[in-house]
Amino acid sequence: MAVPLTDYAVHLRLEDNIAVCRRPLPAATDLAFDGGTVRVPAAVKMGHKFAVRPIKEGDAVRKYGQVIGFAARAIAPGEHVHVHNVKIGAFERDYAHATQTPAPLPPPAEYRTFMGYDRGAGRPDHLRYGTRNYLAVISTVNCSASTSKYIAERVRAAGILEKFPNVDGIVAIVHRQGCGMQFDGPDHQQLDRTLAGFARHANVGGYILVGLGCEIVQASHLIDQEHLELVQLNGQKSAPASLSIQECGGIGKTVEAGVKAVAEMLPRVNDVRRVQLPARHIILGTNCGGSDGNSGVTANPALGVASDLIVQQGGTSILGETPEIYGAEHILTRRAVSKEVGEKLVERIKWWEWYTSMFGAEINNNPSPGNKEGGLTTIYEKSLGAIAKAGGTAMVDVYRYAEPVTAKGFVVMDTPGYDPVSMTGIVAGGANVCVFTTGRGSVFGCKPAPSIKVATNTPLYNHMLGDMDINAGRVLEGASVAEVGREIFEKILATASGEKTKSEINGVGEEEFAPWSIGPTL
């Protein structure tokens, strides 16, 4: 006897010719659907798709009411739909810029607050309001990376931080770049933006810069660039402390000087206290990683609800991962506030097509093997699920990687799909809280911004309880997307007020700093 399709799967839109399993579907199951019966001959895993109607060879496969690929051969109802019988293909997207711009959301029933840090009028608004109070040791080049870590480790080992309870910790910002690039070229400018974005971040109370001395990315160059808006110690215009290993006389002397500089700075970083702030000062960074077939069904649309709630409060929500917008960009361009904003996104999409072709790569190399194991078939499918994180408000601007995000509302930042690189740019742009959805199990953190993990399914949440903060798998069990979205929103406010995320409890987030290098290493 046939059981209702909804017992095992989700049929998202009337026009979809597939359904998505919300739990494992046994072989030889008969499902009642649309007045008939669909027999599923072989077992289908959770997050994977099966056809609910016949799909002819070459016809579009549809999910979310959109094209996610084309049938490589005829697909019968009940048959597993995945990489073995779906190809990506090209199709025209009508960008229709700003033709479906959503109306502004009505004022919220209640304007919410959080307990955060006000760095003072010396900083512009997008750099002023923080959710954490870190001290950072920032390496300008890989050659000073170990020295920067030694400074942070020495401070921790000495027990100095215990005397300053209002300081969340010390974080070493180290990377593998800083030289072997064209001076003042695209990579140099982008790394400058990224390092400056972390140095002046609203979650950083104070910082020191550590270099070798002969590199391309000099601390003095960073400090001299007025547009980078480097500020120090709660908005004061005093010059940042900078150390050069060559000038100090080696690693040991640099570490001693660094520990001394940190010790002198800590009392002033500790002086700041949490105060009540309007939720409009939240700058939310969103990302999805280790995605599965249910990411676009549960966690991502729930995060989209939370994103809309932040925007409704007057805050900002950032969507990144341009290669994971690819194939769905026409949905966002229609939501743009103007043709110019829509065209900024399309220009980035076209750039990515050119950029990947330079290396003989295809954007459809993303989804990853893990994504495919979780049920994602093509980049179009992944992108349509990924943009659900953006909710339904108007797209007000598009930013380059690590550019300061000054707009209020929903914005896009051009970042790669690789999670650490993407989130590094988004945090450098000013995100003071991050929400990261995952269906396969990502444990990503990104100090100094707290990272809230949202699991797309209950088995993952229970399996990785020590790493997951919220279970969006409840949507597959009867909870509404709006209900889980509200839960994420409340978690954002609690986290902004100081509640620790699982990644913070686990100490994750220091090694994940990964600036994007776009050019050759010389």
Side-chain angles (χ1 to χ4, degrees):
M1 184 175 178
V3 298
L5 180 141
T6 52
D7 283 2
Y8 283 97
V10 180
H11 186 241
L12 294 166
R13 301 285 188 277
L14 288 175
E15 58 268 42
D16 288 356
N17 48 19
I18 59 89
V20 184
C21 289
R22 60 187 185 88
R23 61 191 179 103
L25 179 54
T29 301
D30 290 324
L31 301 174
F33 173 74
D34 197 24
T37 300
V38 174
R39 169 164 274 262
V40 179
V44 183
K45 294 186 289 187
M46 183 177 67
H48 284 245
K49 303 173 290 297
F50 62 91
V52 294
R53 302 185 183 99
I55 308 174
K56 296 177 182 178
E57 181 177 352
D59 279 1
V61 178
R62 293 186 179 274
K63 182 181 178 183
Y64 313 111
Q66 301 288 332
V67 176
I68 65 168
F70 300 87
R73 58 172 175 77
I75 303 173
E79 187 177 349
H80 183 208
V81 176
H82 201 28
V83 293
H84 62 287
N85 55 14
V86 177
K87 59 186 179 181
I88 185 164
F91 69 101
E92 291 295 321
R93 273 96 79 189
D94 180 4
Y95 292 129
H97 297 291
T99 57
Q100 298 174 8
T101 307
L105 293 171
E110 176 188 5
Y111 282 100
R112 302 294 298 279
T113 63
F114 69 99
M115 297 300 293
Y117 296 100
D118 184 349
R119 302 294 179 188
R123 294 189 183 215
D125 274 6
H126 64 285
L127 307 177
R128 178 171 173 176
Y129 303 100
T131 66
R132 295 293 183 269
N133 191 31
Y134 277 101
L135 196 147
V137 182
I138 300 175
S139 176
T140 63
V141 65
N142 182 252
C143 307
S144 57
S146 292
T147 303
S148 299
K149 292 179 72 172
Y150 296 158
I151 293 169
E153 290 167 0
R154 180 81 64 84
V155 169
R156 293 184 192 113
I160 301 173
L161 293 172
E162 296 171 6
K163 302 174 184 177
F164 303 100
N166 297 319
V167 178
D168 285 300
I170 184 169
V171 55
I173 304 296
V174 302
H175 54 97
R176 290 176 170 81
Q177 299 178 37
C179 212
M181 60 180 65
Q182 180 182 345
F183 183 84
D184 208 30
D187 263 334
H188 187 184
Q189 293 174 7
Q190 186 156 283
L191 184 55
D192 272 357
R193 287 201 307 271
T194 307
L195 295 175
F198 274 69
R200 69 188 176 210
H201 198 281
N203 289 2
V204 173
Y207 62 93
I208 62 172
L209 303 172
V210 183
L212 177 62
C214 56
E215 63 270 17
I216 294 288
V217 181
Q218 293 276 328
S220 59
H221 185 266
L222 275 169
I223 294 167
D224 291 342
Q225 303 298 303
E226 290 188 10
H227 71 279
L228 295 178
E229 302 179 291
L230 284 187
V231 289
Q232 180 66 293
L233 290 170
N234 301 321
Q236 298 172 16
K237 295 293 185 181
S238 56
S242 62
L243 304 173
S244 162
I245 296 171
Q246 292 168 356
E247 290 181 6
C248 287
I251 291 174
K253 292 178 181 178
T254 307
V255 171
E256 290 179 7
V259 172
K260 183 174 183 289
V262 168
E264 291 173 352
M265 199 178 297
L266 273 169
R268 297 167 71 188
V269 176
N270 189 67
D271 281 345
V272 69
R273 300 289 191 276
R274 288 189 182 271
V275 295
Q276 191 172 41
L277 296 171
R280 69 174 181 271
H281 296 312
I282 295 290
I283 302 178
L284 174 65
T286 69
N287 213 89
C288 51
S291 301
D292 70 351
N294 280 316
S295 292
V297 178
T298 63
N300 288 353
L303 177 51
V305 170
S307 172
D308 286 348
L309 292 172
I310 291 293
V311 170
Q312 188 179 38
Q313 291 286 328
T316 301
S317 178
I318 306 171
L319 175 72
E321 302 181 284
T322 312
E324 298 179 15
I325 293 173
Y326 188 75
E329 71 273 14
H330 58 292
I331 297 175
L332 297 181
T333 58
R334 294 167 184 230
R335 286 168 51 184
V337 293
S338 68
K339 181 179 180 182
E340 291 72 25
V341 169
E343 287 177 337
K344 286 171 74 172
L345 178 58
V346 175
E347 185 275 327
R348 289 289 82 200
I349 293 290
K350 299 301 182 186
W351 182 89
W352 272 96
E353 290 179 333
W354 167 83
Y355 180 61
T356 52
S357 70
M358 290 281 289
F359 303 97
E362 296 179 359
I363 299 180
N364 198 46
N365 288 342
N366 182 349
S368 69
N371 295 152
K372 292 174 181 177
E373 178 65 23
L376 291 173
T377 302
T378 68
I379 187 57
Y380 298 155
E381 179 184 8
K382 188 174 184 182
S383 294
L384 288 162
I387 67 167
K389 302 191 299 293
T393 61
M395 181 174 70
V396 300
D397 210 346
V398 177
Y399 290 89
R400 295 295 181 99
Y401 186 85
E403 279 188 333
V405 175
T406 58
K408 293 292 188 180
F410 158 58
V411 305
V412 169
M413 178 179 284
D414 179 28
T415 74
Y418 184 37
D419 303 323
V421 182
S422 175
M423 289 302 278
T424 293
I426 289 172
V427 172
N432 52 21
V433 180
C434 301
V435 177
F436 193 112
T437 66
T438 182
R440 303 287 293 166
S442 172
V443 295
F444 182 79
C446 192
K447 293 178 181 178
S451 176
I452 299 166
K453 296 299 178 324
V454 182
T456 72
N457 60 83
T458 299
L460 169 67
Y461 178 78
N462 290 333
H463 185 57
M464 298 185 68
L465 192 58
D467 301 283
M468 298 295 115
D469 296 287
I470 290 176
N471 178 23
R474 297 193 302 112
V475 172
L476 302 176
E477 298 154 10
S480 70
V481 169
E483 179 185 341
V484 177
R486 173 64 69 171
E487 181 185 358
I488 295 173
F489 173 71
E490 295 295 340
K491 188 70 170 181
I492 291 168
L493 295 180
T495 299
S497 298
E499 182 181 292
K500 288 189 180 297
T501 64
K502 296 290 181 64
S503 66
E504 290 179 297
I505 293 169
N506 290 324
V508 178
E510 191 163 320
E511 298 292 339
E512 287 72 13
F513 179 77
W516 181 20
S517 176
I518 55 176
T521 300
L522 304 177

